[in-house]
Amino acid sequence: MAQPRTRRPARPREEVYAAARTAIAEHGLARLTMAGLGEQLGMSAGHLLYYFGSKDQLLLETLRWSEAQLGERRGRELARREAPVLERLARYLELYLPEGPGDPRWILWIEVWSRSPGTADLRQGQHEIEAPWQDDLTALLDEGRETAVLPPATPTAARATQLRALLDGLAVPLAIGLPGTTRESALAHATSAAHALLGL
């Protein structure tokens, strides 16, 4: 009598996300195949497609998972009300910028941005993932205005949008490793520009 086939247990989603983030950061989404990722995880491509539907959805969910991890750290840092507003702003800038060339989190962002113009689901997902960064920064600037760290007329939501656009512009060259870009210089530029925008 043939022995029944034992079913291989499904990998935890966190393991799938971690493997996908590493693979996308190293090779790009175009070179990632569900078969290759499945082989790495000991799963079938069909199993991955069952859960994610497409590579675009896998990319989006991997980015969502990656940002949720960092969001927990950001929340802890910004909730330290005993720390001055400007100290927490400096920490926000540090968390936002890439750690250096090839930062896996930022490579995911670049992949999403490059694919979202033609995909409404990616655009909506991108908006949902970005919103907490905007909300947290606006709340921090509101606190700065209320405690007289910032000028009373500071338009906090507009300044948060401007600061994030600046940070994105500094982050991409660093993440892709353009010559002459360093994390230290990007952070220095971000800090000086933030202070200028906020009237400090």
Side-chain angles (χ1 to χ4, degrees), residues 67 74 92 96 109 124-139 160 164:
E67 287 296 312
R74 185 181 70 246
Y92 179 99
Y96 200 105
W109 271 116
Q124 179 60 33
Q126 174 188 329
H127 173 73
E128 292 168 358
I129 297 167
E130 287 185 1
W133 283 99
Q134 175 75 14
D135 294 344
D136 286 350
L137 182 54
T138 301
R164 289 186 51 250

Side-chain angles (χ1 to χ4, degrees), residues 148-181:
V149 173
L150 302 179
T154 302
T156 54
R159 290 294 180 263
T161 298
Q162 292 160 358
L163 276 172
R164 289 186 51 250
L166 168 79
L167 289 167
D168 288 342
L170 291 168
V172 172
L174 175 58
I176 64 176
L178 284 187
T181 59

Side-chain angles (χ1 to χ4, degrees), residues 65-107:
W65 166 78
S66 178
E67 287 296 312
Q69 290 185 315
L70 188 56
E72 292 177 4
R73 290 174 57 196
R74 185 181 70 246
R76 289 194 300 269
E77 293 285 348
L78 299 186
R80 296 187 305 115
R81 297 296 287 258
E82 73 280 3
V85 167
L86 294 184
E87 181 180 315
R88 283 178 282 152
L89 175 61
R91 186 62 181 136
Y92 179 99
L93 301 179
E94 292 171 2
L95 289 171
Y96 200 105
L97 290 171
E99 291 295 325
D103 183 322
R105 170 180 159 256
W106 268 96
I107 299 303

Side-chain angles (χ1 to χ4, degrees), residues 23 51-52 113 165 175 187 196:
Y51 281 107
F52 297 105
W113 286 339
L187 189 55

